[in-house]
Amino acid sequence: VSKAPPRKEKAPPEVPALITDKERNTIYEKGRFLGKGGFAHCYELKNRSTGEIVAGKVVPKSMLVKQYQRDKMTQEVQIHRELSHPNIVKLFNFFEDPLNVYITLELCARRSLMELHKRRRAVTEPEARYFTHQVVEGVLYLHDLRIIHRDMKLGNLFLNDDLVVKIGDFGLATTVDGDERKKTLCGTPNYIAPEVLNKMGHSFEVDIWAVGCILYILLFGQPPFESKSLEETYSRIRHNNYTIPSNATPPAAALIRRMLDPEPTRRPTAKQVHRDIFFKSGFMPTRLPVSCLTMVPKFG
Ligand SMILES: COc1cc(C(=O)NC2CCN(C)CC2)ccc1Nc1cc2c(cn1)c(C)nn2-c1cc(Cl)cc(CCC(N)=O)c1
């Protein structure tokens, strides 16, 4: 990614109404603003020749001033572009113009599990099984490719029109060589595992920890270590200080306890989670109606 002239802080990016991908001779019409995250603003982009609508992440080059920022972005794209799985957001293209870097991605029209959580709080156990099982299928695919996502959270679990879950945002992802333990993590994961806090080296188990937090929130309506301050939350994580509500079913409680084990090597692998009795211990829908985004479903 080539350098751009420095610019004043925090101004929204100048995004042209027509965005051209010169290499592929494709022109996109900028649509509505979808949201922002990190350095990126996201818009609906309409491919002028095919009419296809995609999610376009726009990062002003003026925000990528340091080489390590450009390298991080390049690594995010290099990892993400190789992936192809029904529970992983598809990355289509990556291109730039003098002002911005653009990444075109699979549009997930029903936003993410974060918005569903804010609207519904705790969901039913069949819904929690349905969503978590798809997240685990995506994590299994990544771990088989020796990729750790490292920032699994509700806001990165996107939903398409069929409420299929798609893991997105590979901004903190990395690849593991052999049995190495990663020593550094540039960024702050939302559901951060104790071994990352204690800087003891970390690996695939951090994603299992995050899936444990996600299942906990879906079933009980709030994060396991939620506190008033970040320091308090980190202290609770370090002390593994959380409780499972008494109304939890035994298979759910047992699986969450194993995924939130403070000792990473005692946590189940993605394969073991995928086969866990929790997913067989009750009804798991094969699809969900979009009404689930706003109200408790009545299963037949
Ligand atoms: C139609 O599809 C979407 C709609 C909306 C939406 O309705 N956002 C509204 C826009 C108006 N404001 C006032 C409220 C949020 C939000 C996201 C959509 N889809 C959508 C958004 C997507 C993706 C796929 N699909 C991917 C991949 N990355 N991003 C992405 C990227 C960034 Cl930088 C920021 C955000 C916003 C945070 C979030 N988790 O929603 C999302």
Side-chain angles (χ1 to χ4, degrees), residues 32-37 40 42 44 89 106-109 111 155 158:
R32 68 185 173 120
F33 175 67
L34 301 181
K36 59 178 186 279
C42 189
E44 280 187 350
V89 165
E106 177 179 5
L107 183 71
C108 298
R111 299 188 72 182
F158 294 95

Side-chain angles (χ1 to χ4, degrees), residues 81-184:
R81 72 188 330 170
E82 300 306 317
L83 306 179
S84 178
H85 186 276
N87 299 118
I88 305 279
V89 165
K90 194 85 195 87
L91 185 147
F92 299 124
N93 287 318
F94 167 66
F95 56 95
E96 54 186 284
D97 67 15
L99 278 178
N100 302 305
V101 173
Y102 302 93
I103 305 176
T104 55
L105 297 143
E106 177 179 5
L107 183 71
C108 298
R110 298 294 179 171
R111 299 188 72 182
S112 73
L113 280 179
M114 174 53 82
E115 287 72 35
L116 183 147
H117 160 64
K118 284 183 175 165
R119 182 65 189 266
R120 295 271 313 274
R121 287 294 157 198
V123 301
T124 62
E125 195 165 78
E127 290 171 286
R129 257 189 218 106
Y130 166 90
F131 288 122
T132 308
H133 196 254
Q134 291 184 26
V135 173
V136 173
E137 299 227 325
V139 172
L140 192 49
Y141 171 80
L142 294 176
H143 288 186
D144 284 350
L145 292 173
R146 315 218 36 89
I147 295 166
I148 327 175
H149 184 279
R150 303 206 294 186
D151 196 18
M152 299 286 295
K153 61 183 179 182
L154 297 183
N156 286 342
L157 299 175
F158 294 95
L159 295 168
N160 71 2
D161 269 322
D162 300 326
L163 294 196
V164 172
V165 178
K166 307 239 177 200
I167 300 171
D169 195 341
F170 285 76
L172 296 185
T174 188
T175 49
V176 175
D177 303 325
D179 287 342
E180 68 161 327
R181 306 289 297 172
K182 292 294 182 184
K183 290 289 179 296
T184 56

Side-chain angles (χ1 to χ4, degrees), residues 217-229:
I217 297 169
L218 290 175
L219 284 173
F220 310 128
Q222 61 188 23
F225 303 99
E226 174 122 293
S227 313
K228 294 178 295 302
S229 71

Side-chain angles (χ1 to χ4, degrees), residues 31-85:
R32 68 185 173 120
F33 175 67
L34 301 181
K36 59 178 186 279
F39 295 149
H41 283 65
C42 189
Y43 300 85
E44 280 187 350
L45 299 185
K46 182 176 173 182
N47 180 322
R48 260 202 163 169
S49 25
T50 65
E52 187 197 19
I53 310 261
V54 297
K57 273 172 84 168
V58 182
V59 179
K61 283 181 175 171
S62 57
M63 304 295 269
L64 296 172
V65 286
K66 304 229 174 32
Q67 188 55 43
Y68 86 92
Q69 289 164 328
R70 287 204 290 277
D71 294 346
K72 269 182 66 175
M73 175 135 216
T74 308
Q75 185 182 36
E76 171 183 349
V77 171
Q78 263 162 355
I79 289 177
H80 197 169
R81 72 188 330 170
E82 300 306 317
L83 306 179
S84 178
H85 186 276

